[in-house]
Amino acid sequence: MTPALLGNLGVSLALAFSLLGLALSLLAYQQGDGRFLKGARALVLPTFLAALTAFFALEWALLTHDFSLAYVARNHSTQDPLWVTLVTPWAALEGSILLWGLLQTLYTLLASRKPLDSWRASLVLAVLFGVQVFFFGVMATIASPFQTLPNPPADGNGPNPLLQNHWMMAVHPVLMYLGFVGLSVPFAYAVAAMVVRRYQTWVGETRWWTLIAWGFLTAGKVAGMWWSYEVLGWGGYWAWDPVENASFIPWLLSTAFLHTAIVQETRGAFKAWNFAFVTLAFAATVLGTFLTRSGVIQSVHAFAEGPVGPAFLGFFLLVTGLGLGLLSRVSREVRDTAVFRLLSREGALLLGAFFFAGWALVVVLGTFYPLVVEAFTGAKVSVGAPFFNQVSAPLGAGILLLMGIGPILPWRRLRAEVFRNLYVLLAVLLLGTLLGLLRGYTFGASLAVGLFLYNTAAILLLVREGVLARLRVGLSPWGFLENRRRVGSLLVHFAVALLALGIAFSQTYRLESEKTLYRGQAWEVGGVRMEFLGVRALDEGRRFAVEASLRTDRFGEVRPRLHFYPQMNSPLPAPKVIYTPGNDYYFLLMDFDREKGEWASIRLIVTPLVFWMWVAGGLLALGTLYILWPAAKQEEVRGVSPA
């Protein structure tokens, strides 16, 4: 047995089981025969085990340096450290599709364990098996990770240096895939609900799955921002790169669904919107994969290109057509007939969802406009960060405004007693903005301060009301923590406000300066005094490194690097970043004296509040985890809300 044989066997079995499971699931629905559903369910675990076998076969090939596999020869080297070898399966096209397929079978396995009536269970399984058929079909035909070479090389090329320059690449892609793949489950529930015409219960069942996928997507995006910040050497965390945009779109649409789902759960409204958001969110993950893997765009993130573009484009059209086609069929039955007031909780939630969806539309248009222009005219145009920043700023401010006011508003209509809280929030917003202006901040940064304080005040008001309500009936004030959904969402909202504050200040007050220093020469910039001590060369086997030594008055000795990989013509910066709560200090070695090491060009970037963006990322994950954590039995006391 060889890795190639074992891997091909695993992929073939996974494809065969998925096809059989799809057929049995459809028969179960059409015939109403539980035996077919039982048979389909029995195939879920073997499919997962077959996919796991294929994945381990690829790891086996990498660990044993089996360069008879084309994937291993292209993306692995005997010089790679162990951790790089272990994460190489998702370093390129075929391996990343295998990872997607494996995670898809895992989600199908978990979804099959959830109790559902037989009609919907068979349709949910049919959709998930159908998704698996696509991915394992792609692996079995046009993107096999187990294709062999007639004349294997003695050593391989190693993965893209960008992937081996930071440990975050071991985490970021997996989190993103867990988010992407996770959105297939809500899509399957939505399809089943529309087919069997049961429009209410699926939302509560689906919201849990969506929150899991959303949590992984959020964590993956924050990890990706951190990776960009530390690896690409430009001192930034977001560039509106097409691949960044492609992963941002499903995040925006799933966020919209999480908000409108609350309204359907509570008031039975927004059914059509929820079907649309879930469909588009999953379709956007496929569209993003098409962008990333087809080679139609040039991006620092487009690590894997291949002949899979038409297949993913076709699958995107199939997913979109299936979801929106079914929605069109049932549109009259899911139409909202009630009139909603804007100044109510449901009005704020719907308006917030429109902001998220509108933001997604803007990102889609900005990302695809250059492709459309080139396709029709041949001209190359670009839509850069200034466009996205200008459009995103008011949308983000609107979302932050609604995020604070929405939970304060009551359902249906505004009551008189709520006005006191609204006046308090408005006063905090105005005072915070004014305070920023008085301190000399720009209007945008001042507004960010105001919105952060405004959202913090809204959270404190909600907690205060929950605690007072419990105290009035003699309950422990800490009982409000038992409402995990409410408390977790407040923590997420606080994290979003903190993230927005970090973005506003880091974008507005970034200081960047560069200077060539000779040995012993000192330089003071951004509140830091540094002295250049020299450079040294390091042979690290798989790469060659040059390290500059700088003695600073605040952080001791810092050593930014340049890494030279055989696969790259130009060096890859490895900055030294000093994180502090106030400012980040980002030291970069730009160039050096290659003969005597007597001089080096150093760039220092000072960026405020970036540290808090990573803290916000952690709080986002913590809040999501708290919501998902199984809740203890609630105290049932009439008239008391835990928070």
Side-chain angles (χ1 to χ4, degrees):
M1 182 69 75
T2 64
L5 185 60
L6 184 63
N8 281 318
L9 180 64
V11 170
S12 299
L13 285 176
L15 176 59
F17 291 152
S18 298
L19 280 167
L20 186 57
L22 173 61
L24 289 175
S25 300
L26 291 175
L27 278 173
Y29 173 70
Q30 289 177 338
Q31 303 295 324
D33 191 333
R35 291 174 297 177
F36 291 122
L37 179 58
K38 188 176 179 181
R41 280 179 168 152
L43 288 168
V44 171
L45 181 59
T47 312
F48 168 70
L49 293 176
L52 192 62
T53 300
F55 188 81
F56 277 128
L58 186 56
E59 290 282 15
W60 177 20
L62 290 163
L63 289 168
T64 56
H65 313 308
D66 184 353
F67 296 112
S68 66
L69 289 186
Y71 185 87
V72 177
R74 286 197 307 267
N75 302 293
H76 174 64
S77 163
T78 54
Q79 299 295 317
D80 292 344
L82 179 60
W83 77 269
V84 172
T85 300
L86 292 174
V87 305
T88 296
W90 51 86
L93 173 69
E94 297 86 351
S96 61
I97 293 177
L98 176 58
L99 176 64
W100 187 308
L102 172 64
L103 296 178
Q104 187 67 58
T105 61
L106 176 61
Y107 271 108
T108 303
L109 178 64
L110 295 174
S112 70
R113 297 293 190 265
K114 286 287 182 181
L116 279 179
D117 61 83
S118 58
W119 300 105
R120 287 190 302 145
S122 58
L123 289 168
V124 167
L125 275 183
V127 172
L128 295 176
F129 273 127
V131 175
Q132 290 177 187
V133 167
F134 170 75
F135 281 97
F136 289 106
V138 167
M139 280 183 269
T141 53
I142 55 177
S144 171
F146 302 104
Q147 183 183 359
T148 55
L149 295 172
N151 299 303
D155 202 350
N157 298 324
N160 187 319
L162 285 172
L163 298 177
Q164 48 182 309
N165 212 37
H166 197 283
W167 63 269
M168 190 65 77
M169 286 314 298
V171 178
H172 163 59
V174 178
L175 292 172
M176 293 302 299
Y177 281 122
L178 282 167
F180 279 1
V181 181
L183 288 174
S184 67
V185 182
F187 173 69
Y189 272 72
V191 168
M194 286 188 282
V195 171
V196 302
R197 287 184 156 84
R198 295 180 187 174
Y199 308 123
Q200 183 59 30
T201 55
W202 77 280
V203 169
E205 297 158 346
T206 302
R207 195 171 179 276
W208 186 81
W209 289 104
T210 309
L211 197 56
I212 289 177
W214 183 88
F216 281 124
L217 262 182
T218 304
K221 294 199 70 61
V222 173
M225 290 165 65
W226 201 348
W227 172 82
S228 299
Y229 186 61
E230 288 212 344
V231 171
L232 296 182
W234 54 284
Y237 47 81
W238 194 265
W240 295 107
D241 179 273
V243 176
E244 290 176 335
N245 295 350
S247 63
F248 192 35
I249 295 164
W251 185 88
L252 289 168
L253 292 169
S254 55
T255 307
F257 168 73
L258 287 173
H259 288 83
T260 51
I262 298 172
V263 182
Q264 185 171 344
E265 283 185 280
T266 307
R267 296 202 55 199
F270 301 167
K271 298 183 183 73
W273 287 111
N274 287 326
F275 284 129
F277 286 144
V278 164
T279 297
L280 294 175
F282 178 57
T285 67
V286 182
L287 183 65
T289 309
F290 161 72
L291 275 178
T292 311
R293 305 299 187 231
S294 65
V296 299
I297 58 166
Q298 296 299 317
S299 163
V300 295
H301 294 77
F303 298 119
E305 298 178 5
V308 298
F312 273 91
L313 186 58
F315 188 55
F316 162 73
L317 294 174
L318 177 65
V319 168
T320 309
L322 176 62
L324 297 186
L326 286 171
L327 180 56
S328 173
R329 189 173 70 113
V330 302
S331 59
R332 290 189 177 181
E333 300 167 33
V334 298
R335 185 177 300 163
D336 292 322
T337 55
V339 177
F340 297 99
R341 296 175 185 275
L342 187 60
L343 285 177
S344 63
R345 188 174 299 183
E346 57 267 46
L349 287 167
L350 183 61
L351 190 57
F354 284 168
F355 271 89
F356 283 114
W359 201 349
L361 179 62
V362 167
V363 176
V364 169
L365 294 176
T367 304
F368 280 87
Y369 178 74
L371 299 178
V372 174
V373 170
E374 185 175 355
F376 284 96
T377 68
K380 289 188 178 296
V381 299
S382 63
V383 178
F387 165 77
F388 290 107
N389 288 337
Q390 287 178 5
V391 176
S392 297
L395 288 170
I399 288 170
L400 288 170
L401 197 62
L402 290 167
M403 195 173 74
I405 198 174
I408 296 291
L409 294 174
W411 297 105
R412 297 179 186 277
R413 66 182 60 189
L414 198 58
R415 295 194 298 267
E417 59 268 27
V418 178
F419 279 103
R420 183 194 62 188
N421 288 339
L422 294 182
Y423 291 148
V424 170
L425 292 183
L426 181 61
V428 171
L429 174 62
L430 293 175
L431 286 173
T433 305
L434 183 61
L435 179 65
L437 291 172
L438 290 174
R439 288 183 61 87
Y441 299 150
T442 65
F443 176 74
S446 300
L447 182 61
V449 173
L451 285 169
F452 172 74
L453 296 175
Y454 158 88
N455 276 284
T456 304
I459 292 168
L460 292 175
L461 281 174
L462 288 167
V463 172
R464 173 181 174 274
E465 290 183 357
V467 168
L468 289 178
R470 295 184 64 83
L471 289 175
R472 279 195 291 269
V473 293
L475 295 175
S476 165
W478 298 108
F480 78 90
L481 293 173
E482 296 170 5
N483 191 337
R484 298 185 182 279
R485 182 167 164 176
R486 191 65 179 276
V487 174
S489 67
L490 293 180
L491 185 57
V492 168
H493 282 186
F494 177 76
V496 171
L498 183 61
L499 184 67
L501 186 69
I503 290 172
F505 273 75
S506 61
Q507 292 288 316
T508 306
Y509 295 108
R510 171 187 160 109
L511 169 68
E512 183 171 345
S513 189
E514 183 174 337
K515 186 179 179 68
T516 297
L517 299 174
Y518 288 86
R519 191 188 296 271
Q521 185 179 357
W523 179 36
E524 186 167 352
V525 62
V528 179
R529 187 181 187 279
M530 67 187 85
E531 179 185 353
F532 174 57
L533 303 178
V535 296
R536 64 171 181 163
L538 301 165
D539 186 354
E540 298 180 332
R542 62 194 172 107
R543 69 188 178 197
F544 184 73
V546 174
E547 187 176 84
S549 295
L550 300 166
R551 182 162 56 212
T552 70
D553 58 347
R554 297 184 61 180
F555 314 114
E557 189 169 329
V558 297
R559 296 175 177 173
R561 286 177 156 207
L562 283 175
H563 289 158
F564 295 81
Y565 289 88
Q567 307 96 312
M568 294 189 77
N569 295 325
S570 55
L572 190 59
K576 176 63 180 177
V577 187
I578 307 293
Y579 295 95
T580 74
N583 291 305
D584 276 9
Y585 297 86
Y586 194 97
F587 295 84
L588 269 166
L589 172 61
M590 303 301 296
D591 201 359
F592 60 96
D593 180 3
R594 284 167 169 73
E595 294 184 357
K596 300 180 179 177
E598 290 297 317
W599 59 266
S601 293
I602 303 296
R603 178 179 295 171
L604 176 64
I605 302 172
V606 183
T607 315
L609 302 193
V610 175
F611 171 83
W612 295 104
M613 294 174 59
W614 314 135
V615 172
L619 292 176
L620 278 168
L622 190 62
T624 307
L625 187 63
Y626 194 75
I627 297 171
L628 291 170
W629 201 263
K633 188 175 180 181
Q634 300 287 312
E635 293 176 85
E636 296 180 359
V637 179
R638 185 183 296 275
V640 174
S641 172

